[in-house]
Amino acid sequence: MEHTYRLVISCPDRTGIVAKVSNFLSTYNGWITEASHHSDTQSGWFFMRHQIKAESIPFGLDQFRAAFEPIAREFNMRWHIADSARPKRVVLMCSKESHCLADLLHRWHSKELNAEMAAVISNHDDLRRMVEWHDIPYHHVPVSKENKAEAFGQIEELLDKYEADVIVLARYMQILPAGLCEKYAGKVINIHHSFLPSFAGARPYHQAYSRGVKLIGATCHYVTQDLDEGPIIEQDVIRISHRDSIEDMVRLGKDVEKNVLARGLRSHVEDRVITYENKTVVFD
């Protein structure tokens, strides 16, 4: 993979933003390999992502930040720059279902996902052997009504220990406490079936089957204190028919879930997602 810097910006929309940033990069011989822009006419905000050859810039990121800061102040920018040579550290969280976890581990193992799998945390011990085969630390932290505060305190210590850049709930069947949601805002990614809010609770596919639904799908989103209502990163659907059994729907649903989660995580680790209000801009 080519060594690049990723400059990601959001700011109030006005004329001259692209010209100013492009001129800055040109001044230092910055070679732009990818440029994405979006203007939201409803909110009046502008969004930008530039990918730049790292070798074309004559200094490192600290000097880049110092040199760019006056432009950022001038345009009231929210911005960051990331180095592709420093893959984001991912902590996966799971329960008993393996499809999302196994898929992400495979994509990481086959180098389809440019990230560092730091650890896996689970409230069950069922998937330990699968994870440890990949030489990834596995932490079993049981969670019950009686020990929730203690358990999530232990989980928070593990997240701090592994310096998690992003936390992926790969079918982790526990609700994160508000404190963790706030501490890691914009860094926790979840996946769930897209029946919500229609078929909430247990056995959603059985409920959907009894209603004769024709579409099943999945939603990948950032976790907030409002359950399953965070900014959406990725979604997809599959059509089904009266010929499909409950087992078929579950199988197809798992396929959609793991694909949507992988695409959402890839967008995040490649700095392609910008959140604003309760929405996202996701650059291809």
Side-chain angles (χ1 to χ4, degrees):
M1 179 178 291
E2 184 178 31
H3 184 197
T4 60
Y5 295 147
R6 300 160 183 156
L7 177 62
V8 181
I9 296 166
S10 63
C11 62
D13 202 0
R14 53 179 276 196
T15 59
I17 302 170
V18 175
K20 195 81 170 186
V21 173
S22 299
N23 183 65
F24 170 85
L25 294 174
S26 178
T27 298
Y28 295 105
N29 296 313
W31 187 333
I32 300 170
T33 61
E34 187 177 323
S36 302
H37 309 138
H38 173 65
S39 178
D40 188 320
T41 56
Q42 296 297 315
S43 66
W45 275 74
F46 181 77
F47 306 89
M48 172 189 291
R49 178 186 183 272
H50 279 181
Q51 193 162 281
I52 309 142
K53 283 189 177 184
E55 63 183 19
S56 70
I57 300 289
F59 41 64
L61 290 192
D62 287 342
Q63 289 172 283
F64 186 106
R65 292 184 183 101
F68 190 76
E69 184 58 34
I71 296 175
R73 286 198 303 270
E74 178 184 351
F75 289 89
N76 194 25
M77 291 177 176
R78 302 172 186 170
W79 70 286
H80 70 272
I81 187 164
D83 188 341
S84 69
R86 184 198 175 278
K88 288 183 171 50
R89 293 176 59 80
V90 179
V91 172
L92 301 174
M93 297 183 69
C94 62
S95 290
K96 290 187 175 183
E97 291 190 78
S98 64
H99 59 289
C100 287
L101 177 70
D103 182 71
L104 292 178
L105 292 178
H106 169 73
R107 292 174 191 268
W108 168 77
H109 184 76
S110 60
K111 303 188 186 308
E112 297 175 36
L113 191 62
N114 183 31
E116 182 180 346
M117 292 297 176
V120 173
I121 302 171
S122 178
N123 56 327
H124 296 280
D125 214 28
D126 301 54
L127 304 178
R128 178 183 293 276
R129 290 180 63 188
M130 177 197 298
V131 173
E132 291 183 343
W133 183 88
H134 289 86
D135 294 324
I136 297 172
Y138 186 93
H139 297 274
H140 176 211
V141 183
V143 180
S144 66
K145 291 181 180 178
E146 293 74 25
N147 80 334
K148 274 195 174 182
E150 179 185 351
F152 280 109
Q154 184 178 344
I155 288 170
E156 185 173 358
E157 289 177 4
L158 288 169
L159 296 175
D160 291 342
K161 171 186 174 182
Y162 287 108
E163 300 178 328
D165 294 310
V166 55
I167 302 141
V168 181
L169 307 186
R171 300 297 292 160
Y172 181 69
M173 305 308 289
Q174 294 288 330
I175 298 174
L176 298 189
L180 273 183
C181 293
E182 183 177 353
K183 180 176 180 177
Y184 292 100
K187 295 183 177 181
V188 185
I189 295 174
N190 190 27
I191 185 73
H192 63 69
H193 61 78
S194 286
F195 295 139
L196 295 175
S198 297
F199 305 121
R203 298 161 68 88
Y205 287 98
H206 292 72
Q207 297 179 58
Y209 178 81
S210 68
R211 287 288 304 276
V213 301
K214 305 305 180 191
L215 286 174
I216 59 175
T219 295
C220 174
H221 65 94
Y222 289 113
V223 172
T224 64
Q225 296 181 41
D226 299 318
L227 184 62
D228 295 329
E229 294 185 14
I232 293 170
I233 307 168
E234 181 63 80
Q235 291 180 300
D236 206 352
V237 295
I238 291 180
R239 292 198 66 85
I240 59 171
S241 75
H242 58 276
R243 296 183 179 87
D244 291 303
S245 66
I246 294 173
E247 291 74 21
D248 291 331
M249 290 173 62
V250 171
R251 172 176 54 82
L252 292 168
K254 287 181 177 180
D255 285 344
V256 183
E257 285 179 5
K258 63 189 182 185
N259 287 330
V260 167
L261 181 59
R263 293 202 301 266
L265 178 58
R266 179 176 288 110
S267 293
H268 180 92
V269 300
E270 292 180 359
D271 297 286
R272 296 184 181 276
V273 186
I274 306 176
T275 59
Y276 72 108
E277 298 175 349
N278 198 43
K279 299 189 292 185
T280 60
V281 168
V282 184
F283 290 121
D284 296 333

